[in-house]
């Protein structure tokens, strides 16, 4: 019997990056599937300017994430934050890239999310830059998604809006206020799971 999960995230959410290894471990189990669904937390109206106050908040949160999850934040990433290299937290382009993968190679979306997260948080790359994202897609062997992202077609944006709307509806229905969020799928029923389990023992979710 397969245990199915729905994973709500944002590619610029630090705690989502902290949960990435646990999500990958869970998805790799023979008795589990994990469906990724972006929420657009830092996309569109949710994009934020990285002023001094926000920078302090981000660096403090990164320290807590590293201590809790063991996630690595690279020197190149910290330099971008402290030197003003990332003046906007805008996950819109990365979210669109993930939707392009969802449409062309859906079984690779979760892996691409991990690639994008490591590119930002470990290597300090600007994942708000469509050119950077296209290069990541091509390097991962996802050429059709890279082409779709480069074409910036209306149907891709429409599909992206539909996914964000679905995520928003699910979060509202279950009183979820942030990401990462994980829900168990039982037929048409979604049951929220304590996300702290991801950081402690993700495999326990299969036995729950």
């Amino acid at each position: 019997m397969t245990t199915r999960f729905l994973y709500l995230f944002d590619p610029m959410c630090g705690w989502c990056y902290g949960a990435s290894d646990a999500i990958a471990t869970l998805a790799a189990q023979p008795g589990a599937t994990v469906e990724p669904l972006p929420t657009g937390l830092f996309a569109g109206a949710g994009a934020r300017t990285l002023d001094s106050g926000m920078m302090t908040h981000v660096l403090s949160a990164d320290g807590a994430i590293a201590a809790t999850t063991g996630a690595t934040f690279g020197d190149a990433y910290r330099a971008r934050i402290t030197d003003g290299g990332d003046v906007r937290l805008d996950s819109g382009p990365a979210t669109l890239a993930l939707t392009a993968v969802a449409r062309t190679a859906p079984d690779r979306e979760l892996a691409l999310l991990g690639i994008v997260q490591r590119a930002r948080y470990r290597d300090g790359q600007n994942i708000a830059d469509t050119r950077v994202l296209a290069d990541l897609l091509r390097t991962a062997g996802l050429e059709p998604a890279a082409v779709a992202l480069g074409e910036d077609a209306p149907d891709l944006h429409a599909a992206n809006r539909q996914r964000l709307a679905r995520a928003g509806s699910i979060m509202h229905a279950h009183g979820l206020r942030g990401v990462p969020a994980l829900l168990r799928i039982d037929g048409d029923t979604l049951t929220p799971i304590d996300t702290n389990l991801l950081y402690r023992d993700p495999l326990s979710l299969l036995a729950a």
Side-chain angles (χ1 to χ4, degrees), residues 14-204:
W15 284 102
C16 297
Y17 170 59
S20 59
D21 285 349
I23 288 292
T25 296
L26 186 61
Q29 301 309 303
T33 63
V34 178
E35 176 191 349
L37 185 65
T39 64
L41 176 65
F42 294 114
R48 302 178 189 180
T49 299
L50 191 64
D51 56 20
S52 59
M54 189 65 179
M55 180 185 72
T56 300
H57 170 76
V58 167
L59 293 175
S60 175
D62 290 347
I65 294 163
T68 301
T69 70
T72 299
F73 293 84
D75 291 340
Y77 161 75
R78 291 193 189 92
R80 285 190 64 87
I81 296 293
T82 57
D83 295 346
D86 276 345
V87 294
R88 290 279 288 172
L89 296 178
D90 184 359
S91 64
T95 300
L96 194 65
L98 288 160
T99 294
V101 175
R103 300 184 76 206
T104 56
D107 59 324
R108 299 285 309 282
E109 184 181 4
L110 199 57
L112 192 276
L113 172 61
I115 290 170
V116 169
Q117 289 171 319
R118 288 188 294 275
R120 171 174 169 77
Y121 290 104
R122 186 190 64 191
D123 303 331
Q125 296 190 53
N126 181 11
I127 64 167
D129 187 329
T130 301
R131 294 167 299 181
V132 170
L133 293 165
D135 286 344
L136 292 173
L137 289 167
R138 291 192 173 93
T139 301
L142 295 164
E143 180 66 25
V147 171
L149 183 65
E151 291 176 344
D152 202 33
D155 61 333
L156 175 59
H157 284 271
N160 194 56
R161 288 192 297 270
Q162 289 175 358
R163 297 218 304 160
L164 297 183
R166 179 189 171 210
S169 177
I170 291 170
M171 293 187 74
H172 177 75
H174 294 278
L176 301 173
R177 301 183 63 84
V179 291
L182 191 68
L183 302 95
R184 187 186 304 274
I185 304 172
D186 295 299
D188 294 330
T189 301
L190 294 174
T191 304
I193 293 171
D194 180 3
T195 310
N196 288 323
L197 291 174
L198 280 174
Y199 306 125
R200 294 199 301 265
D201 183 11
L203 297 186
S204 68

